[in-house]
């Protein structure tokens, strides 16, 4: 399960789908003229793309005090 942050932007011209590698979340941005239902349908239609992109995210590495990076 991946957290999805959905928001409406008055500056957006179309639906934007982004993956945030730091927070391991997905951001869905859409203009006010597009309903939340249509934006959700768009997200569902991109499920395979999201899964493929998720596979390319770098592994998280825990850093410890005193460790040389």
């Amino acid at each position: 399960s991946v957290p999805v942050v959905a928001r409406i932007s008055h500056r957006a011209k179309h639906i934007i789908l982004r993956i945030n590698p730091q927070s391991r979340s997905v951001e869905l941005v859409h203009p006010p003229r597009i309903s939340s239902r249509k934006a959700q349908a768009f997200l569902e239609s991109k499920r395979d793309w999201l899964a493929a992109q998720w596979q390319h995210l770098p592994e998280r590495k825990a850093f410890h005090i005193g460790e040389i990076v």
Side-chain angles (χ1 to χ4, degrees), residues 1 16-17 24 30 34 39 41 44 48 51 53 55-58 61 63 65:
S1 160
I16 301 164
L17 191 57
R24 300 277 181 174
H30 64 91
I34 295 181
E44 291 296 324
D48 292 339
Q53 298 305 310
Q55 296 299 319
H56 296 296
L57 288 178
K61 179 169 177 15
F63 293 103
I65 296 173

Side-chain angles (χ1 to χ4, degrees), residues 1-63:
S1 160
V2 175
V4 176
V5 176
R7 67 181 177 89
I8 297 172
S9 170
H10 292 280
R11 296 184 331 179
K13 302 286 187 220
H14 46 268
I15 299 174
I16 301 164
L17 191 57
R18 287 188 197 110
I19 296 176
N20 184 327
Q22 284 79 30
S23 66
R24 300 277 181 174
S25 65
V26 173
E27 182 181 28
L28 177 68
V29 180
H30 64 91
R33 65 181 170 77
I34 295 181
S35 69
S36 293
R37 182 178 287 160
K38 283 187 179 183
Q40 182 68 30
F42 176 81
L43 177 64
E44 291 296 324
S45 75
K46 298 300 182 183
R47 184 181 295 255
D48 292 339
W49 177 83
L50 280 170
Q53 298 305 310
W54 205 261
Q55 296 299 319
H56 296 296
L57 288 178
E59 297 263 339
R60 284 188 166 180
K61 179 169 177 15
F63 293 103

